[in-house]
Amino acid sequence: MKILIVEDEPKVAGFIKKGLEENNYEADTASDGPSGEELAMKQKYDLFILDIVLPGFNGLELCRKIRKMYPETPVIMLTALGTTDNKLNGFDAGADDYVVKPFEFRELLARVKVLLKKSAHFQENVNKLIFEDLELDLDKKIARRGNLKIELTAKEFSLLEYFMRNRGRVLSRNDIAEKVWDTNFDFGTNVVDVYVNFLRKKIDKGFERKLIHTKVGFGYIFGEQ
């Protein structure tokens, strides 16, 4: 299990990271809102621990951004602001739990374990791939981006699934041909390029944020430019 801690106090961030790693979790840290968002976009985390008062933009805004990318990933808000209104603001932003500083690590750990257990159970029952506002339902064979349902052919669906499972990786045409078509095409064929173009028109056209990018001389990359 991998956890992202976004906390601008180095001692607190180090304390949480050390405790989590001693309990067999992987943990990354970020010290402000923008760097936390960047890490969340680059890697898949199983849980987020966010301070509210952060440089750049605050933890509430970061929580909202994370909710758009990963609607079901648990978020714990960690803050010195412990009033009822502060807690309600955190829950309204999409947080699952709220821990007030100062705290005992064992309390935080207990809440982490509960949320990860619930999340694992949910994922067993909902077979979906989600990246930002794009959702791929593997059971119903349905793709959605934002509020738009996207009709895909069987091969386009397989291609998108392969891209989403390998986001952030440069995929060569041979990689794609082998995994999606179960074969190695001759270098002279452009069938991969044709299908990638079909898919681009369906999931990227009309959206400001483009998800499929060409890496000239290498192939394609999903999710990062």
Side-chain angles (χ1 to χ4, degrees):
M1 293 289 187
K2 194 163 188 175
I3 297 171
L4 176 62
I5 306 152
V6 187
E7 165 62 66
D8 65 332
E9 296 182 34
K11 288 184 179 179
V12 176
F15 167 70
I16 297 171
K17 177 178 171 68
K18 182 174 183 291
L20 290 172
E21 290 175 342
E22 287 175 351
N23 284 272
N24 300 315
Y25 296 103
E26 289 185 51
D28 291 336
T29 61
S31 58
D32 55 54
S35 59
E37 181 186 14
E38 183 178 359
L39 281 174
M41 290 176 64
K42 286 183 176 179
Q43 301 184 52
K44 178 71 174 69
Y45 291 96
D46 298 288
L47 184 140
F48 297 92
I49 299 174
L50 312 178
D51 189 18
I52 285 187
V53 181
L54 292 170
F57 52 79
N58 66 35
L60 297 176
E61 186 175 347
L62 179 57
C63 185
R64 293 187 188 98
K65 290 174 180 287
I66 286 171
R67 273 287 160 262
K68 290 181 180 179
M69 290 187 279
Y70 309 109
E72 308 304 333
T73 303
V75 176
I76 296 176
M77 303 302 296
L78 184 66
T79 180
L81 305 174
T83 68
T84 299
D85 285 344
N86 291 138
K87 291 181 179 180
L88 290 175
N89 288 337
F91 291 131
D92 286 344
D96 297 277
D97 205 347
Y98 206 108
V99 176
V100 179
K101 300 176 183 177
F103 61 91
E104 289 191 31
F105 179 76
R106 60 181 181 175
E107 176 192 357
L108 176 62
L109 181 62
R111 298 192 187 202
V112 165
K113 288 180 177 179
V114 167
L115 288 175
L116 287 175
K117 186 175 181 180
K118 287 181 180 179
S119 176
H121 176 72
F122 181 86
Q123 292 300 328
E124 287 173 2
N125 292 280
V126 181
N127 197 15
K128 294 180 180 179
L129 297 176
I130 298 171
F131 178 74
E132 296 188 2
D133 59 347
L134 178 65
E135 177 182 296
L136 199 64
D137 189 317
L138 302 178
D139 293 328
K140 297 180 180 179
K141 305 301 181 186
I142 293 173
R144 291 183 182 276
R145 185 158 188 197
N147 296 319
L148 180 66
K149 182 179 177 181
I150 302 169
E151 298 292 341
L152 298 176
T153 67
K155 194 58 67 178
E156 289 167 351
F157 190 94
S158 297
L159 178 58
L160 181 55
E161 180 181 353
Y162 182 59
F163 273 137
M164 292 183 75
R165 290 189 184 277
N166 291 275
R167 67 183 181 90
R169 284 184 56 207
V170 176
L171 304 172
S172 71
R173 289 165 178 80
N174 280 353
D175 290 333
I176 296 168
E178 181 180 348
K179 299 299 183 182
V180 178
W181 277 268
D182 297 318
T183 187
N184 285 309
F185 290 116
D186 294 334
F187 286 108
T189 184
N190 68 343
V191 66
V192 170
D193 298 322
V194 168
Y195 269 87
V196 170
N197 190 46
F198 288 159
L199 191 58
R200 268 181 167 150
K201 288 180 179 179
K202 292 187 176 183
I203 71 163
D204 276 346
K205 189 175 181 180
F207 292 91
E208 182 178 353
R209 169 88 158 103
K210 308 304 181 186
L211 300 180
I212 300 175
H213 306 282
T214 302
K215 297 290 282 186
V216 178
F218 295 95
Y220 298 97
I221 187 168
F222 177 88
E224 296 178 26
Q225 202 163 6

